[in-house]
Each structure stands twice: as C-alpha cells, then as structure tokens.
Amino acid sequence: MSDEVSVEEVADAMYKQIADAQGLKKLKPGDVTKMMRELYGDRVDKKLCKLAIRILIESERCVYTYFGGSYIELPPKEGEEK
Amino acid sequence: MAELPATPLLDDLEKGPWPSFVTEIKNAALHKDSCKDLLGQLERSYREKIGHWKHGGIVGVLGYGGGVIGRYSDLPKEFPGIAHFHTLRINQPSGWFYTSKALRDICDLWEEHGSGLTNMHGSTGDIILLGTTTDELEPTFKALTDVGFDIGGSGSDVRTPSCCVGPARCEWACYDTLKVCYQLTMDYQDEIHRPMFPYKFKFKMSGCPNDCVASIARSDMSIIGTWRDDIQQDDAAVKEYADKGLNIQRDVVGNCPGQCMEWDGEKLTIDNDLCRRCMHCINAMPKALAPGKDRGATILLGSKAPIVEGALLSSVLIPFLKIDNEEDFKDLQALVEEIWEVWGEEGKNRERVGEFIQRVGMANFLEAIGLEPVAEMVAHPRENPYVFYNQGDDEEEDK
Ligand code: SF4
Ligand code: SF4
C-alpha cells in the first residue's frame, strides 16, 4: 500500500513533536500517540506508535522522565541540572 | 572505624526488643560513607520535621522507563554521600520464594554497586535496593540480569505484579496465584518497562478472600480466589472444635456476615446460597471447614491509595472466572486489554482507572469495555449503583 507509514517516519514525526514541546509542555507516551493518529489517521495504530517510541528511547534520542507521572523528553544537555 | 554522626533522636528507635532499621543503617555506615550521610540527614529531618529528599527526574537504565526512582538530597553540600541516592525496584519472584543463594547474590551485588541497604519488600511487592549513584545504575542492572533478576515497574506503567504464596503453601488457594502472577509479568513486559498509560496500573493476586496481599485496597485490578459451590464441611471435626472449648455459637455463627449458619450444639448447618465467601468460619475452624471444590476468582477493579484523590477499594467486575488453563487466562487478558484501551484513550493525566470509572460512570465504562452489568457488581452491601433501568422498562414488564 503506497500510503503505508514506516516506523522510522513515525519516530521522526514524534521526535519533532517532542522537540517542539520541550520546555513548554511535558508529553506523555499517550499524548504523542494521539498526535500521530491526528497526523496520519488510520495509517498508524497504537502498536506502530509503541514501536516508534521504543526506537526513540533505545537510540537515546529521547528519554523517559518522571515528574509525578511518566513523560518522554529530549535527553538533558551536558551539565544540565535536572 | 568510621565515626558516626551523633543521632540522639534516631537512637531512640533502637530501643526495645524488635529489629531496628537505625541499627542496620549504623552497621552499614561502618563501611559506606553514603550510609553515614544518610544517618546525618535523617536525624536532621527528625529534628526539623522536614523531609530532605527530592525525587523523580531523569534516571533509569537504557530502554526502560520504570523501576528506578531518582532520589536526591536537597542538602548535597552537607551530605555529599547521598547527593544521589536512587532507589531500584527489582521484580520479586512470585510469592517471594528465594533460594539463599539468590538472596546472597542480591546482597553481594548491592554491596558492590550501592549502599548495601535493602527493603524486603516494598509496599509494591518489589525487592527495594536503596541508594546508589547515577553512574552505578547500568552496572547494577547488568549485575542483576547476570543473576537472573530484572527491574520492576514504576511511573505510569504496569507495576510489578505480586501475589500471595497461593497453592505453594496454602490449602485455601482457589487458583494458582503464582502462575497467574508469573504469566502476567512475562506477557506484559513491555507495559512494565515502558510507561504508556495515564498513570500506574497494579495487579495483585490473592488465592482466597483472606486477601493476604491486600489486593482489594492496593491494586487497580484485584484478582481474589473464591468458590461457587458449598463450603466443604467435616462434621466430626466441627464437633471436636466444640468439645475443645470453641464457642461456635458466639465466635463463628455470631460473626457470620451472611447470617447463614446455625449451630444446635451438635450440628453446624450452612445455608450456602447466602454465604458471602468471607472466610471467617473457615479461618476459625480450619480443620473442619474449607472452601468448596469449584474454585476460581473474582475480578475486581479500581482500588488505590490516596495520592491525587482519596482512597478507593476495588469493586466487582467479574463475579466468578475460572483461571485454570490457557483459554481461561486469555479471557482475563482480553478483559485487561479492553480496560487499558478505554482508560488509555480517555483517562486524564495521573488518573487511576478507579477514578476514571468514577468520572465517566460505571454504566458508561461497562458499555465501553463491552461487559454486561450483573447483580453482583456491588460497591457496598445492599447497594447496586451499576444496574440502571431505562424509563419504560417497568411498563414493558407490566404488559
Ligand atoms: S490469600 Fe488465601 S490462599 Fe493466599 S496465602 Fe492468604 S489465606 Fe492462603
Ligand atoms: S464464609 Fe463467611 S459468610 Fe460464608 S458461612 Fe462462613 S462466615 Fe458465613
């Protein structure tokens, strides 16, 4: 199917949303999943979004954080106090 | 020998015949500076009546979003040994069965990589390893996996499932709690290690209504063993209890919440249809009474401790479910995943599933997960908030 979305493309789109929100709003994994569904509609499902999140975390482009609940953020910059 | 700080307030907690965590920290402080600073900060907290920990932030092991709780002293200059003092939650074995070698392995690796202080076990059920630095997290994780352990859950994920000892040691177990606990843990590895929910989700399994792991108060999904036939009764053993001085009328029949027992001085009669499966009579006369033979579990949903909102107890979702084989287990998982789907989609940030149900209403929730309301779904005795009558139903019936 020509309009299939690859997991890498979803991961990149997620990364962009997380980077844009950094410092403004903390996003939960559920929030970025919803954003992807808004962006790609039926072409993505939860399973694909879960895989994309896994790619972002395991490649260390993003990290999980905990501030009362769990969020996905960009890793802190060198020397940044958290 | 390392000099310990003066701790007059903590010293009070060493008095009396019982074990003291202060004594244990003092022992550890003889060879760990972090424990010396821990004593110093704790004494100060007791004196000032102020906690000096900050928690949360960005700590973990690669790939996992749970299981490591970042902990920092807010007095790092005075207590540098605990500037970072992170906690690790380690997935305990089902029913907390260990070999002495496994315990030694954990203690040895924790002496090497952390403070050496443990909490066996935390209220979540996990093995708690208290106090290490960020640099030591990955080496600790490696050492743990080398001896067959894994990190458990924390944050907005499935928390490490826990269960009572069940059929391994207890004749009252109505299903195999250990097996269900193990299977849920293995099947939901992704959900345990990668937070994906609005908030935490806990499973606790008790083999019978004695509920030794307090699942009804402490887990989002409480799986409590029960039976649906008659209590097994040995009349001769009942009589023996009476002959040995048990006041059956006062202490057993008189405390039966179902008011469904009669004792004529010779014979105990139970009206099993009215029995509430509370276990009281069985606990009082274990040699004479036992749960029935047609055993399974009640699935309850929604309990939580008071954090964001007040405390809730779980209430009945499925009155009786067999969990004996693979097929039964699939039914349970299908229900769980349906609940996650609805709550994951509609739940607010930091809203537990019990609070979510309160917000949207049980009737709507049941409809969303595709479950028919049944009479046993009671939140409190003699109250049934989940069965609704549509206007006109009565007229239909009157026809
Ligand atoms: S909950 Fe019931 S089955 Fe489990 S250990 Fe306690 S008494 Fe035994
Ligand atoms: S289990 Fe509880 S309700 Fe049932 S007969 Fe015994 S005491 Fe009564």
Side-chain angles (χ1 to χ4, degrees):
Chain A
M1 212 160 64
S2 61
D3 59 356
E4 228 170 63
V5 193
S6 72
V7 65
E8 288 79 17
E9 189 182 339
V10 177
D12 286 344
M14 277 182 176
Y15 182 82
K16 188 174 178 314
Q17 300 277 13
I18 294 164
D20 288 349
Q22 187 82 5
L24 301 171
K25 185 178 189 299
K26 289 191 187 303
L27 297 177
K28 295 182 76 70
D31 297 334
V32 282
T33 302
K34 275 183 194 156
M35 286 170 164
M36 292 304 106
R37 303 249 294 272
E38 276 163 26
L39 196 63
Y40 294 110
D42 288 348
R43 295 156 68 207
V44 297
D45 60 12
K46 275 193 179 169
K47 217 163 133 199
L48 190 71
C49 292
K50 260 162 81 171
L51 270 179
I53 290 172
R54 196 163 171 169
I55 287 174
L56 289 177
I57 298 290
E58 291 184 353
S59 64
E60 299 184 65
R61 292 171 75 195
C62 292
V63 289
Y64 285 115
T65 60
Y66 181 84
F67 295 94
S70 301
Y71 300 92
I72 301 186
E73 297 184 62
L74 301 191
K77 293 198 187 82
E78 194 70 30
E80 195 177 6
E81 190 59 40
K82 278 282 161 185
Chain B
M1 199 195 274
E3 205 179 307
L4 300 184
T7 53
L9 294 174
L10 292 180
D11 295 349
D12 255 1
L13 299 175
E14 292 188 279
K15 293 174 186 160
W18 40 81
S20 162
F21 74 94
V22 175
T23 308
E24 297 309 320
I25 300 177
K26 282 183 178 173
N27 285 337
L30 297 177
H31 52 99
K32 289 275 182 188
D33 281 346
S34 60
C35 297
K36 212 165 74 176
D37 281 351
L38 179 63
L39 284 170
Q41 179 173 297
L42 196 57
E43 177 73 16
R44 181 157 163 179
S45 284
Y46 276 40
R47 202 172 55 241
E48 296 175 348
K49 300 189 174 69
I50 292 175
H52 283 292
W53 294 116
K54 299 183 289 183
H55 87 284
I58 309 169
V59 284
V61 296
L62 181 59
Y64 283 16
V68 180
I69 295 113
R71 212 172 290 284
Y72 305 87
S73 169
D74 69 3
L75 302 167
K77 289 207 173 71
E78 280 144 274
F79 303 108
I82 52 170
H84 298 184
F85 202 67
H86 309 316
T87 296
L88 278 92
R89 289 198 182 135
I90 310 305
N91 198 139
Q92 79 286 6
S94 289
W96 301 285
F97 287 98
Y98 298 92
T99 59
S100 52
K101 177 179 180 311
L103 291 174
R104 254 187 227 109
D105 285 345
I106 291 169
C107 292
D108 288 348
L109 73 86
W110 194 232
E111 284 281 338
E112 189 186 338
H113 296 288
S115 70
L117 297 175
T118 63
N119 172 6
M120 302 289 277
H121 297 81
S123 58
T124 55
D126 300 83
I127 303 163
I128 307 293
L129 303 182
L130 290 160
T132 195
T133 56
T134 307
D135 292 348
E136 284 292 346
L137 291 172
E138 289 291 348
T140 308
F141 182 44
K142 161 96 179 51
L144 279 163
T145 50
D146 285 349
V147 295
F149 282 89
D150 193 4
I151 288 178
S154 72
S156 307
D157 61 14
V158 169
R159 299 304 183 82
T160 317
S162 79
C163 65
C164 75
V165 293
R169 296 204 56 179
C170 186
E171 68 208 88
W172 291 333
C174 294
Y175 72 97
D176 191 341
T177 51
L178 305 152
K179 190 170 161 198
V180 171
C181 187
Y182 179 78
Q183 214 158 337
L184 287 173
T185 306
M186 298 313 279
D187 287 357
Y188 293 132
Q189 280 291 297
D190 211 25
E191 286 77 2
I192 290 173
H193 297 309
R194 296 173 187 89
M196 57 183 73
F197 296 130
Y199 206 17
K200 60 186 97 168
F201 191 94
K202 300 181 181 179
F203 290 105
K204 290 196 193 294
M205 280 62 70
S206 282
C208 80
N210 278 337
D211 196 9
C212 290
V213 291
S215 68
I216 196 151
R218 296 175 48 225
S219 56
D220 298 271
M221 179 167 279
S222 323
I223 306 177
I224 302 181
T226 189
W227 64 96
R228 59 182 169 186
D229 54 350
D230 293 351
I231 289 176
Q232 299 183 66
Q233 188 173 335
D234 176 340
D235 286 332
V238 172
K239 186 78 175 42
E240 208 180 313
Y241 274 107
D243 293 345
K244 285 193 175 151
L246 177 69
N247 186 332
I248 292 180
Q249 182 57 43
R250 187 191 65 199
D251 296 337
V252 182
V253 175
N255 287 330
C256 166
Q259 296 170 19
C260 59
M261 310 181 94
E262 269 181 39
W263 169 245
D264 65 7
E266 289 294 320
K267 170 121 179 77
L268 182 74
T269 311
I270 302 174
D271 182 349
N272 279 278
D273 285 348
L274 294 177
C275 170
R276 306 282 196 268
R277 274 71 177 160
C278 79
M279 292 293 291
H280 167 65
C281 58
I282 299 171
N283 292 334
M285 297 192 288
K287 287 183 184 156
L289 303 175
K293 289 181 178 161
D294 187 8
R295 298 176 176 192
T298 300
I299 315 295
L300 305 97
L301 195 68
S303 77
K304 58 174 280 294
I307 300 181
V308 184
E309 302 265 332
L312 294 172
L313 292 180
S314 287
S315 59
V316 174
L317 202 59
I318 310 261
F320 189 89
L321 189 74
K322 283 268 182 200
I323 335 181
D324 292 338
N325 56 40
E326 203 55 34
E327 280 308 304
D328 299 338
F329 191 73
K330 278 197 193 130
D331 290 345
L332 177 64
Q333 279 187 313
L335 175 74
V336 167
E337 284 160 30
E338 203 56 59
I339 292 167
W340 286 347
E341 184 67 34
V342 173
W343 169 59
E345 199 65 33
E346 307 292 339
K348 289 186 189 167
N349 190 19
R350 300 193 75 200
E351 184 175 51
R352 296 283 286 271
V353 73
E355 293 160 348
F356 171 68
I357 295 169
Q358 282 196 324
R359 179 165 63 84
V360 301
M362 188 58 145
N364 292 329
F365 177 73
L366 290 177
E367 199 179 324
I369 62 168
L371 210 63
E372 283 293 315
V374 292
E376 288 92 337
M377 291 175 175
V378 286
H380 306 284
R382 311 206 191 294
E383 183 185 309
N384 187 330
Y386 313 138
V387 176
F388 296 88
Y389 298 96
N390 294 322
Q391 211 174 3
D393 279 359
D394 289 350
E395 290 132 57
E396 275 299 306
E397 261 175 32
D398 289 346
K399 277 184 193 164

